[in-house]
Amino acid sequence: MDSTGLAALSECEPGADMAAGRSAAEAGEAQGTDATPADESADLTNKSVIKATVLLAELGRHRQGITVTELAQAVGMTRPTAFRLLLSLEQTGFVDRVDNRYLLGWQVARLGRLADPHTGAVARIQPILDEYAAKLNETFSFAMMRGELAYDVIAEAYASRYLNASHVYLGGTYPIHASATGKVLLAELTDDQIAAELPEKLEAYTPHTITNRKALMKELRQVREQEYAILDDELEEGLFVVACPVRDAAGAMVGVLSINGPSQRLKSDHLPDTIDQLRQAARDIAKALS
């Protein structure tokens, strides 16, 4: 390995404070105790590792690759720092380089197949759902995105007055055109993409389901403007749902949060405040996932 590579790798190694912490922990293990470093308030995080994960996250948004200059600008990092970290990640298989463009490497794909995509996420999201479900006395659901129109409902919180509906969707999916979650996902696409995804005639679930693609696209334009979607008796009679996107710091949608309840209860003078609370919960979840 040349000197540049060694310099890049050394940047990712723990500092003396990490070594001290490890020694204390090892000493404690030998004595059968849970010893920790003397100064527990010391910041033991490795900033280079954090920077490397930021680069990986940004690379995931550029499937066709991105230059080191563009990448550094996107994450607010100097070009030399980004280059050194990319060199290290490339040598370990986490980054690939084609000409002068960087992409996620094979190691990311290999580890991705081994990992549960929702491990840790539910633990962060569930307390927030529980808090808002108790506060508003309604049912909340969170769907994690897997693709443009693919998602998993990974967490729900139930009010003391249980949702009066015949389906519970934890672990399942909703019809894309007859759900508030689906409308939020569709609103992220262009009209041409929607036309390519949906037939002109859509399946009806109730007399209120939007079955005309043009009519649905008109509603989706409103969803884009207001940043939330409403489902009113379209999937089940008496079911009212409001959903809004959960976005990361870069504005990319990572999931959809929805509140569900009977139409006669949610469609009231309190609906604007309910939507405000839903949006705040979405911001809280985005912060928890960051």
Side-chain angles (χ1 to χ4, degrees):
M1 185 181 300
D2 60 22
S3 59
T4 305
L6 288 172
L9 288 175
S10 65
E11 183 173 346
C12 292
E13 291 178 356
D17 55 345
M18 291 291 283
R22 184 171 59 250
S23 298
E26 289 170 351
E29 184 177 356
Q31 298 172 10
T33 65
D34 293 327
T36 56
D39 184 8
E40 292 188 43
S41 65
D43 183 2
L44 299 182
T45 59
N46 187 292
K47 293 180 174 58
S48 293
V49 173
I50 293 174
K51 290 177 181 178
T53 62
V54 169
L55 291 180
L56 291 173
E58 185 64 28
L59 283 176
R61 301 187 180 98
H62 303 275
R63 301 292 295 274
Q64 305 304 316
I66 185 172
T67 68
V68 62
T69 300
E70 294 168 337
L71 184 59
Q73 291 174 346
V75 300
M77 195 178 295
T78 66
R79 187 182 184 282
T81 297
F83 178 77
R84 288 196 300 270
L85 293 171
L86 287 171
L87 177 62
S88 300
L89 292 167
E90 182 183 0
Q91 291 175 347
T92 53
F94 287 93
V95 166
D96 285 337
R97 179 162 52 91
V98 178
D99 296 327
N100 67 332
R101 304 185 74 81
Y102 291 86
L103 310 92
L104 291 178
W106 63 272
Q107 279 280 28
V108 175
R110 185 183 72 84
L111 293 177
R113 288 192 296 269
L114 297 175
D116 181 339
H118 307 314
T119 296
V122 175
R124 297 183 181 193
I125 294 167
Q126 193 64 55
I128 298 171
L129 297 187
D130 291 342
E131 175 190 348
Y132 280 89
K135 183 189 300 184
L136 299 183
N137 208 12
E138 300 293 353
T139 300
F140 281 77
S141 301
F142 179 78
M144 183 76 81
M145 290 188 65
R146 289 190 287 108
E148 286 185 341
L149 295 177
Y151 62 91
D152 295 314
V153 181
I154 66 169
E156 290 185 331
Y158 305 106
S160 58
R161 46 190 188 191
Y162 187 73
L163 172 64
N164 182 25
S166 60
H167 294 89
V168 176
Y169 286 98
L170 185 62
T173 58
Y174 312 100
I176 199 70
H177 69 286
S179 69
T181 296
K183 290 179 183 180
V184 171
L185 297 178
L186 286 168
E188 294 290 295
L189 306 181
T190 65
D191 286 355
D192 288 341
Q193 289 174 315
I194 295 169
E197 290 287 344
L198 299 179
E200 290 187 11
K201 185 69 174 177
L202 304 168
E203 183 177 356
Y205 293 88
T206 75
H208 304 283
T209 305
I210 300 175
T211 57
N212 180 277
R213 188 176 67 195
K214 287 185 178 179
L216 178 63
M217 290 171 69
K218 181 179 179 181
E219 180 168 329
L220 294 177
R221 284 191 280 272
Q222 184 177 353
V223 172
R224 293 187 192 110
E225 293 177 3
Q226 63 194 19
E227 277 280 296
Y228 66 86
I230 285 178
L231 187 80
D232 189 1
D233 291 343
E234 298 161 58
L235 180 60
E236 295 184 23
E237 292 279 4
L239 174 63
F240 190 86
V241 185
V242 185
C244 69
V246 175
R247 301 186 185 277
D248 63 17
M253 188 165 68
V254 296
V256 179
L257 178 66
S258 61
I259 182 171
N260 321 283
S263 300
Q264 61 184 13
R265 195 163 69 220
L266 279 180
K267 286 177 63 177
S268 69
D269 294 340
H270 299 295
L271 182 58
D273 180 63
T274 298
I275 293 172
D276 288 342
Q277 293 281 346
L278 181 71
R279 285 171 160 165
Q280 183 58 54
R283 290 191 289 270
D284 291 347
I285 289 173
K287 184 177 180 180
L289 292 176
S290 64

